[in-house]
Amino acid sequence: MDKLGIGIVGLGNISAAYLKASTHFPILDIRAVADMNPAAAKARADEFGLKAVGVDELFADPSIDIILNLTIPKAHVEVGLRAIEAGKHVYSEKPLGIAFAEGQKLIAAAKAKGLRVGSAPDTFLGGAHQTSRRIVDEDTLGQMVGGTAYFMCPGHERWHPNPAFYYEVGGGPMLDMGPYYITDLVNLLGPVAKVSGVGSMLRNTRTITAKERAGEIIPVHVPTHVSGTLIFQSGAVVQVTMSFDVAGHKHVPLEIYGTEGSLVVPDPNFFGGQIELLKKGGEWQRVDTDMPYADGNYRSIGLADMAHAIASDRPHRANGDLALHVLEVMEAFDVSSRTGQVVNISTPVERPIPLAHSLSNGKLA
Ligand SMILES: NC(=O)c1ccc[n+]([C@@H]2O[C@H](COP(=O)([O-])OP(=O)(O)OC[C@H]3O[C@@H](n4cnc5c(N)ncnc54)[C@H](O)[C@@H]3O)[C@@H](O)[C@H]2O)c1
């Protein structure tokens, strides 16, 4: 199999998960890594037996086909545009950008040059989510009515060594965790047509409790409790709450309802998990996942799918149009909160093709 050359920019917390998971996908040949903090690049390079180079050198390396952008959200578009300028495809961590307008700029630049943009999350390609998708596609639930999506926690400052970015403009629970939930909902239910939402910022500061910087106080510049409604083009209506202000709760992360049945979809931050199905008149039943990539952390499967798509000239699933739609939807919660209006969503999107169509012997191709 031909390999594609990957160059990673941003070697912080999440890079270890990518570097571990990338071993599942032989098409990915990680040729070099770079970070604006050279010590961070060197530490990860040493840990995984890779080559650390300067950021400029990485973008200039002709052996690199795809830039894997694992920088913080506010740098995603700037790094992405640099990749496009250098004639390289780019796959970015989520969100695509911190504002819909800058996301549009990145997608337009890539399209103008015939280059690909991919974006996390790729957890919707996990076995549990692809099995949930099959249940919807087989019409088991009937006509889709709606659902609920809940991510609520006390805040990432309790575990992340550098949590300030979660509370800066471009942070907040919606841009941080919304991508997992909204991407999976689009995968299951199709495009969003309208959003109404409210956001609140109850505290101006947060105190880090992660041991590396325990006791340090960081400012808050974004709503930390965001709640609202997604109205899908199909007519389905989903209630969403994303929060860094809640001590604990007992909602399931994701639940969808049809006229003939209801489905508990596992946590979209993970690839696997227990699916539960209730058919009208019946009891809740556990459904086994019948797709691969469910039993572990496969972060980088979206990148691998994009690499295979480039090699065989087919569309990729965790694509820029999907990420841009999700970014527009997430921003719409804020727009709606500030204006008191229901916000129309303008970006077209297609549900990504289910993974089963391109699986050969259980391996991504
Ligand atoms: N930490 C997690 O558990 C987690 C999980 C899923 C997704 N993510 C996403 O991954 C991304 C990175 O998160 P993280 O937790 O690894 O952050 P981090 O702060 O630990 O690491 C980011 C790294 O990027 C580097 N960087 C920032 N701007 C740069 C630029 N312009 N050029 C070169 N290097 C730059 C920083 O020096 C740092 O080493 C974010 O988008 C986040 O939403 C993180």
Side-chain angles (χ1 to χ4, degrees):
M1 181 210 300
D2 284 346
K3 289 176 178 288
L4 270 82
I6 311 295
I8 306 181
V9 183
L11 282 300
N13 203 287
I14 198 62
S15 61
Y18 274 82
L19 289 166
K20 280 183 200 141
S22 64
T23 56
H24 292 288
F25 305 106
I27 193 165
L28 303 176
D29 184 2
I30 299 167
R31 302 219 162 115
V33 303
D35 195 294
M36 64 195 280
N37 170 8
K42 177 153 187 346
R44 274 286 187 258
D46 290 350
E47 189 184 342
F48 287 90
L50 298 165
K51 183 174 68 161
V53 298
V55 174
D56 292 346
E57 200 182 324
L58 189 91
F59 282 108
D61 183 341
S63 78
I64 291 172
D65 305 295
I66 305 176
I67 296 290
L68 174 57
N69 179 3
L70 304 182
T71 62
I72 54 174
K74 72 176 175 194
H76 286 174
V77 166
E78 171 200 321
V79 170
L81 285 171
R82 218 176 146 191
I84 301 298
E85 269 164 39
K88 301 182 189 307
H89 309 283
V90 62
Y91 183 95
S92 174
E93 245 309 322
K94 50 80 192 165
L96 181 67
I98 61 170
F100 175 49
E102 66 160 10
Q104 283 177 303
K105 224 184 272 178
L106 176 63
I107 300 301
K111 284 191 175 155
K113 280 208 166 187
L115 292 164
R116 308 260 188 152
V117 175
S119 177
D122 53 4
T123 41
F124 75 93
L125 296 173
H129 302 281
Q130 291 290 308
T131 303
S132 301
R133 165 76 182 262
R134 187 179 48 67
I135 291 168
V136 171
D137 287 358
E138 285 172 351
D139 224 10
T140 312
L141 306 180
Q143 185 179 2
M144 294 314 301
V145 174
T148 58
Y150 290 111
F151 173 84
M152 297 184 280
C153 79
H156 292 334
E157 67 275 24
R158 60 198 203 291
W159 61 271
H160 197 290
N162 292 305
F165 76 85
Y166 290 115
Y167 297 98
E168 290 167 3
V169 172
M174 180 53 76
L175 280 177
D176 179 46
M177 296 306 290
Y180 296 106
Y181 291 77
I182 296 167
T183 305
D184 210 14
L185 284 166
V186 172
N187 176 51
L188 294 166
L189 303 177
V192 176
K194 294 173 190 201
V195 173
S196 98
V198 283
S200 62
M201 193 183 105
L202 300 177
R203 289 173 277 171
N204 295 326
T205 61
R206 315 278 295 209
T207 305
I208 301 177
T209 52
K211 63 179 182 322
E212 291 85 347
R213 289 168 60 188
E216 204 175 306
I217 291 173
I218 49 175
V220 179
H221 299 290
V222 286
T224 49
H225 187 87
V226 180
S227 199
T229 306
L230 301 176
I231 301 141
F232 286 78
Q233 274 178 19
S234 68
V237 175
V238 175
Q239 291 148 255
V240 178
T241 301
M242 302 282 131
S243 180
F244 287 161
D245 287 322
V246 173
H249 68 92
K250 291 176 89 172
H251 295 286
V252 294
L254 205 51
E255 196 170 74
I256 54 173
Y257 317 122
T259 51
E260 304 305 313
S262 297
L263 192 70
V264 170
V265 179
D267 187 338
N269 195 10
F270 300 101
F271 291 81
Q274 184 62 59
I275 301 168
E276 293 180 69
L277 170 66
L278 176 142
K279 290 190 192 161
K280 196 156 79 183
E283 300 288 324
W284 282 104
Q285 290 182 332
R286 290 168 165 241
V287 178
D288 290 335
T289 293
D290 62 0
M291 295 282 296
Y293 306 117
D295 58 343
N297 186 353
Y298 296 97
R299 265 172 223 267
S300 71
I301 189 174
L303 169 67
D305 177 59
M306 186 168 103
H308 282 289
I310 291 165
S312 59
D313 197 22
R314 63 161 172 83
H316 60 289
R317 295 176 172 86
N319 60 60
D321 288 339
L322 175 60
L324 185 66
H325 182 75
V326 170
L327 182 58
E328 185 184 15
V329 168
M330 293 192 296
E331 188 170 284
F333 279 85
D334 196 38
V335 176
S336 177
S337 182
R338 283 187 284 103
T339 61
Q341 306 285 316
V342 175
V343 178
N344 291 317
I345 299 303
S346 64
T347 45
V349 72
E350 282 176 28
R351 295 202 301 162
I353 297 165
L355 209 45
H357 293 190
S358 69
L359 280 183
S360 135
N361 303 323
K363 298 262 183 274
L364 197 65

